Amino acid sequence: MVSFSEIYKLPWNDDEDALLAERFSEGIKITQLAKLHSRTYGDIKVRLVELLQK
């Protein structure tokens, strides 16, 4: 089943970025992060790259 945010992409916000970075640093895999954040694998991967470049 497709979630609301997968159909209507909500912009990333500072809180979600912080949570994503924290979870990733804890070793949570991208596939699990995608489920937790209701985003695609590609969305998570691209966002992590953007966050690491900041």
Side-chain angles (χ1 to χ4, degrees):
M1 181 175 198
V2 179
S3 71
F4 176 82
S5 63
E6 287 176 327
I7 297 171
Y8 303 100
K9 293 290 182 184
L10 301 174
W12 291 91
N13 61 53
D14 292 339
D15 291 336
E16 189 176 10
D17 282 345
L19 187 57
L20 177 63
E22 179 183 330
R23 288 173 167 170
F24 183 70
S25 71
E26 292 171 352
I28 298 176
K29 296 182 188 281
I30 293 176
T31 51
Q32 186 64 27
L33 291 170
K35 291 177 186 176
L36 292 169
H37 289 263
S38 298
R39 305 267 186 174
T40 66
Y41 180 94
D43 289 340
I44 298 295
K45 193 171 176 180
V46 167
R47 193 61 179 176
L48 286 170
V49 169
E50 290 174 354
L51 290 174
L52 292 172
Q53 291 177 350
K54 285 185 176 181

